Amino acid sequence: MTKHRCGWCVGDPLYEAYHDQEWGVPVYDDQTIFEFLILETFQAGLSWITILRKRENFREALDAFDYKKIAAYSDDKLEELLQNPGIIRNKLKVKATVSNAQAFIKIQEEFGSFSKYIWSFVNHKPVQNSVKNYKEAPATTAISDALSKDLKKRGFKFTGSTVVYAHMQATGMVNDHEVNCFRYAEVSKLQ
């Protein structure tokens, strides 16, 4: 029997695997949250499948998304990244990765973990939406607006409300699986 999936992922095995295993699953681990945040910032203006196809290249190029190492990257390392054809070679996004890692660490120091900080925007519990068709899911919400504004105030770049909402969807802060998707109920139970 064929499982019903959210329409946005159907037809590409990589997309389907990501949808089935990761998308919408609540993430509380700072390292994983940082990885998604960086991938989302690189995705700005591009399709998510483009980023997924380059994810392993990003992982290799960015020291497995080790934010402590990234926060200390030298200009030489930035130049090396800009020469790497396996990642998105956007100078502003590459530089933002370093400043975002630095801002990430400051938030950890202030709140004890980045997870505590970011999850506070949804009262530490995933928002359960009732999306019938993925095209009806919002691109932004009042929560993503507030989170985006706060991240920018704290020095983050490429964290507009649309990017932030995509991050919230990916890391399970909101459940935007279509209600008839087999993952909707499974993810709902993961609170």
Side-chain angles (χ1 to χ4, degrees):
M1 188 166 112
T2 305
K3 294 178 178 176
H4 180 80
R5 291 181 172 91
C6 297
W8 59 264
C9 73
V10 176
D12 185 295
L14 182 62
Y15 238 1
E16 289 179 3
Y18 169 72
H19 168 273
D20 293 0
Q21 297 159 23
E22 293 183 86
W23 194 73
V25 174
V27 175
Y28 300 98
D29 168 67
D30 274 7
Q31 184 65 45
T32 307
I33 291 171
F34 181 76
E35 176 179 343
F36 275 107
L37 192 59
I38 293 307
L39 291 174
E40 292 291 353
T41 60
F42 272 99
Q43 187 262 330
L46 303 169
S47 68
W48 183 242
I49 192 65
T50 299
I51 301 303
L52 276 183
R53 289 184 180 132
K54 293 180 177 282
R55 188 177 190 182
E56 290 309 313
N57 297 336
F58 275 110
R59 186 171 280 130
E60 186 178 321
L62 297 173
D63 293 296
F65 299 99
D66 183 330
Y67 49 86
K68 290 177 183 164
K69 285 183 180 177
I70 293 169
Y73 277 179
S74 66
D75 288 342
D76 287 346
K77 176 63 176 183
L78 293 180
E79 194 53 44
E80 175 190 317
L81 290 170
L82 290 170
Q83 301 305 316
N84 185 336
I87 67 169
I88 306 299
R89 295 181 288 181
N90 177 303
K91 189 173 188 171
L92 294 175
K93 290 179 181 181
V94 169
K95 288 181 92 169
T97 301
V98 176
S99 60
N100 287 353
Q102 293 164 349
F104 188 90
I105 291 168
K106 286 180 184 160
I107 287 175
Q108 283 182 317
E109 290 167 355
E110 182 178 344
F111 291 86
S113 74
F114 192 86
S115 180
K116 284 181 190 170
Y117 160 77
I118 200 165
W119 278 92
S120 71
F121 284 83
V122 290
N123 296 316
H124 304 281
K125 187 176 178 185
V127 175
Q128 297 299 321
N129 289 330
S130 298
V131 176
K132 290 182 175 59
N133 182 307
Y134 74 96
K135 292 176 182 174
E136 297 169 2
T140 64
T141 63
I143 295 171
S144 68
D145 291 347
L147 178 52
S148 170
K149 185 177 179 182
D150 199 63
L151 286 169
K152 287 178 181 179
K153 184 179 82 180
R154 294 170 181 277
F156 280 82
K157 310 269 189 290
F158 291 97
T159 53
S161 191
T162 302
V163 167
V164 167
Y165 193 71
H167 182 263
M168 291 171 66
Q169 290 173 312
T171 59
M173 292 174 69
V174 296
N175 182 358
D176 272 351
H177 280 281
E178 295 173 357
V179 290
N180 61 349
C181 172
F182 81 98
R183 287 294 283 160
Y184 180 79
E186 292 177 3
V187 167
S188 296
K189 293 175 190 170
L190 297 175
Q191 300 184 40

